[in-house]
């Protein structure tokens, strides 16, 4: 195909005005013209893209408004992912976004005086720091200041420590997780910073050797986050050809695996890992694949039914509904933004209706393999609509000392870390898995999952 033909396929209406430009000779004029017209016919066929169907703008705006409301709720834990979502949105409340950014800065970049007054502050982990840096880039903050350079250096150092753990101490695993490791690489890449090739190589090796798993199964959100990091690195134009080639292959493998993970319902893995999966498809130009609009339909259906209540997942979903991914942060200019978002917007109620008795009974059991004994097994009565965390609290109150549990706050909500005094020791890769009897893993955390009447829940201490 000639250069002119390629241009015509990109601008068919322009070329139809003068097809004579495609006639190098009388002998091959007709075949070439036929080829072009066939090409134009293909282009004219309707292509289903990963776009939002009409009629959902109010639903999307309400998700945007809910995240804005969370940013103003002082009782909610500060979450830079919420800020990133607000910045990637098409509609803004610039004043409230600025207020939230200042609150984030007070935590992630405390002044010397506040540090002295409040004592030594705990450093954020790799994932939190990476999300904060994404937020700063989404706000077009100057990172060439002393504080900006210190933040970049800190994230580079934390990734170095993660890399060392993978290489020498962690049995091929980082200090935190490959999800956070990928997020750290993505954040530095979005800022245009060159990353130690050894750090990149460790992520490439993990992808190649199928390390992105949880409980022996593919972790779709980890895979998608690594894919976003690879896609950014591929576009960075900072690395030698051999490394870029390896990164390109990794992007292809990851996207192929994500597409293969789509269920008959349209989700990728489950509904809560799907927002990041669709972000990856958008970022890698896969929106014309039939899997993408099918996944978008599943997300919109779940949003309409009120399935998204966790701020972290909501903040990963909003960019998707605006047709964006975290890679779009790299080109943000923060100019001429629509300052139109108001908290008084009326939102439709979700279609979810909870029917049943006012008081429900939940069977709660605790299992600690390899011991065959059940550490705890009792019926717990709670109000209908209660969350699993309410069930655990009620169990702890019913018999002092019989049932105990501990949690740790994370950006995804409270994480169950100890039950009956049993918790993972340093370096031990075990966790308390939430199961619906007999062996169905719950897709929500203790603060999001609502047990039904006569449901049996098992807390099982498993490796991951």
């Amino acid at each position: 195909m000639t250069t002119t033909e390629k241009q015509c396929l990109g601008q068919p209406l322009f070329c139809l005005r003068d097809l004579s430009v495609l006639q190098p000779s009388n002998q091959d004029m007709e075949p070439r013209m036929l080829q072009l017209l066939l090409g134009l016919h293909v282009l004219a066929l309707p292509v289903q893209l990963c776009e939002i169907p009409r009629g959902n703008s109010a639903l999307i705006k309400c998700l945007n408004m809910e995240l804005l409301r969370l940013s103003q709720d002082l009782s909610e834990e500060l979450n830079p992912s919420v800020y990133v979502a607000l910045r990637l949105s098409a509609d803004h409340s610039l004043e409230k976004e600025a207020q939230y950014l200042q609150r984030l800065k007070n935590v992630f970049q405390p002044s010397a005086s506040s540090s002295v007054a409040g004592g030594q502050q705990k450093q954020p982990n790799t994932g939190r720091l990476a999300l904060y840096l994404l937020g700063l880039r989404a706000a077009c903050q100057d990172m060439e200041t002393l504080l900006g350079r210190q933040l970049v250096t800190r994230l580079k150092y934390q990734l170095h420590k993660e890399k060392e753990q993978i290489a020498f101490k962690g049995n091929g695993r980082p200090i935190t997780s490959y999800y956070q490791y990928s997020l750290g690489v993505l954040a530095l890449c979005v800022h245009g910073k060159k990353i130690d090739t050894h750090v990149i190589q460790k992520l490439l090796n993990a992808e190649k050797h199928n390390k992105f798993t949880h409980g022996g199964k593919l972790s779709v959100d980890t895979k998608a986050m690594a894919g976003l990091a690879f896609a950014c690195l591929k576009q960075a134009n900072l690395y030698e050809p051999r490394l870029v080639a390896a990164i390109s292959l990794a992007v292809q493998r990851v996207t192929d695996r994500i597409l293969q993970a789509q269920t008959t319902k349209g989700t990728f893995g489950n509904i809560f890992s799907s927002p990041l999966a669709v972000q990856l498809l958008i970022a890698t130009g896969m929106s014309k694949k039939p899997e993408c609009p099918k996944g978008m339909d599943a997300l919109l259906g779940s949003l309409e039914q009120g399935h998204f209540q966790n701020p972290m997942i909501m903040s990963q979903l909003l960019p998707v509904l605006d047709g964006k991914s975290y890679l779009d942060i790299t080109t943000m200019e923060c100019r001429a933004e629509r300052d139109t978002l108001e908290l008084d917007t009326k939102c439709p109620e979700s279609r979810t209706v909870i029917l049943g008795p006012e008081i429900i009974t939940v069977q709660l059991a605790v299992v600690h393999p390899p011991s065959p004994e059940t550490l705890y097994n009792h019926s717990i009565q709670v109000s209908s609509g209660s969350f699993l965390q309410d069930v655990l609290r009620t169990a702890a109150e019913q018999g002092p000392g019989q049932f105990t549990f501990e949690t740790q706050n994370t950006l995804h909500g409270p994480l169950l870390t100890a039950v009956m005094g049993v918790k993972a020791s340093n370096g031990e890769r075990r966790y308390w898995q939430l199961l619906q009897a007999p062996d169905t893993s719950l897709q929500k955390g203790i603060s999001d999952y609502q047990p039904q009447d006569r449901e049996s829940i098992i807390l099982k201490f498993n490796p991951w």
Side-chain angles (χ1 to χ4, degrees), residues 133-235:
L133 264 79
L134 285 178
L136 292 178
R137 177 62 189 88
C140 302
Q141 296 284 293
D142 182 9
M143 297 301 291
E144 294 308 315
T145 63
L146 177 61
L147 283 175
R149 291 195 296 269
Q150 286 176 341
L151 284 169
V152 170
T153 300
R154 189 196 308 172
L155 182 54
K156 284 186 174 182
Y157 175 73
Q158 288 186 203
L159 281 174
H160 171 76
K161 297 296 288 184
E162 301 265 15
K163 171 183 70 78
E164 294 296 297
Q165 179 80 5
I166 294 170
F168 303 114
K169 305 173 186 176
N171 193 25
R173 298 283 180 179
I175 297 170
T176 54
S177 65
Y178 276 116
Y179 178 93
Q180 293 194 42
Y181 191 94
S182 301
L183 188 51
V185 171
L186 175 64
L188 290 176
C189 180
V190 163
H191 276 278
K193 305 300 180 184
K194 189 168 184 179
I195 303 168
D196 181 356
T197 55
H198 292 95
V199 169
I200 297 172
Q201 194 60 56
K202 288 291 183 288
L203 192 60
L204 286 169
N205 291 343
E207 186 280 323
K208 192 173 182 179
H209 293 96
N210 300 315
K211 295 287 188 178
F212 303 150
T213 59
H214 185 76
K217 296 181 179 179
L218 173 69
S219 173
V220 172
D221 50 359
T222 301
K223 198 86 168 177
M225 186 60 76
L228 287 167
F230 290 141
C232 184
L233 292 170
K234 180 182 174 181
Q235 299 171 9

Side-chain angles (χ1 to χ4, degrees), residues 48-50 259 281 285-294:
Q48 192 176 16
L49 298 177
C50 205
L259 292 172
L281 298 182
M286 307 288 281
S287 60
K288 292 183 181 180
K289 290 279 188 180
E291 292 89 346
C292 199
K294 188 178 177 182

Side-chain angles (χ1 to χ4, degrees), residues 170-431:
N171 193 25
R173 298 283 180 179
I175 297 170
T176 54
S177 65
Y178 276 116
Y179 178 93
Q180 293 194 42
Y181 191 94
S182 301
L183 188 51
V185 171
L186 175 64
L188 290 176
C189 180
V190 163
H191 276 278
K193 305 300 180 184
K194 189 168 184 179
I195 303 168
D196 181 356
T197 55
H198 292 95
V199 169
I200 297 172
Q201 194 60 56
K202 288 291 183 288
L203 192 60
L204 286 169
N205 291 343
E207 186 280 323
K208 192 173 182 179
H209 293 96
N210 300 315
K211 295 287 188 178
F212 303 150
T213 59
H214 185 76
K217 296 181 179 179
L218 173 69
S219 173
V220 172
D221 50 359
T222 301
K223 198 86 168 177
M225 186 60 76
L228 287 167
F230 290 141
C232 184
L233 292 170
K234 180 182 174 181
Q235 299 171 9
N237 197 29
L238 292 173
Y239 305 99
E240 63 176 16
R242 182 178 295 181
L243 182 59
V244 173
I247 292 169
S248 299
L249 287 174
V251 171
Q252 185 62 55
R253 285 194 301 266
V254 169
T255 52
D256 287 347
R257 189 65 185 87
I258 291 293
L259 292 172
Q260 293 167 10
Q262 188 168 47
T263 68
T264 55
K265 295 180 179 179
T267 62
F268 296 93
N270 61 62
I271 194 63
F272 304 108
S273 57
S274 295
L276 279 180
V278 178
Q279 275 203 44
L280 175 64
L281 298 182
I282 292 171
T284 54
M286 307 288 281
S287 60
K288 292 183 181 180
K289 290 279 188 180
E291 292 89 346
C292 199
K294 188 178 177 182
M296 190 73 81
D297 287 343
L299 290 172
L300 283 169
S302 294
L303 177 62
E304 190 176 5
Q305 292 170 18
H307 291 170
F308 294 106
Q309 302 295 327
N310 185 292
M312 194 70 182
I313 309 301
M314 292 162 63
S315 67
Q316 294 170 350
L317 174 62
L318 184 59
V320 168
L321 301 183
D322 279 313
K324 296 179 180 177
S325 76
Y326 288 151
L327 265 64
D328 286 282
I329 298 173
T330 60
T331 56
M332 289 181 67
E333 296 181 347
C334 308
R335 297 176 186 171
E337 296 176 317
R338 292 203 309 234
D339 194 9
T340 56
L341 193 61
E342 299 289 344
L343 283 178
D344 58 0
T345 304
K346 291 184 179 180
C347 291
E349 304 229 349
S350 70
R351 298 186 310 198
T352 302
V353 178
I354 298 176
L355 300 175
E358 293 185 2
I359 302 297
I360 64 171
T361 300
V362 178
Q363 192 71 23
L364 181 64
V366 178
V367 179
H368 183 194
S371 172
E373 297 182 7
T374 301
L375 300 183
Y376 179 91
N377 193 2
H378 288 275
S379 295
I380 309 298
Q381 291 190 324
V382 292
S383 300
S384 178
S386 294
F387 294 97
L388 181 53
Q389 190 169 16
D390 300 317
V391 175
L392 302 185
R393 287 171 178 158
T394 302
E397 292 167 358
Q398 281 185 355
Q402 290 185 19
F403 178 83
T404 62
F405 74 101
E406 298 174 25
T407 62
Q408 176 184 329
N409 287 333
T410 74
L411 294 182
H412 289 267
L415 174 69
L416 187 64
T417 56
V419 177
M420 313 290 286
V422 178
K423 66 171 66 176
S425 58
N426 289 336
E428 185 182 16
R429 295 193 171 274
R430 303 188 76 180
Y431 75 113

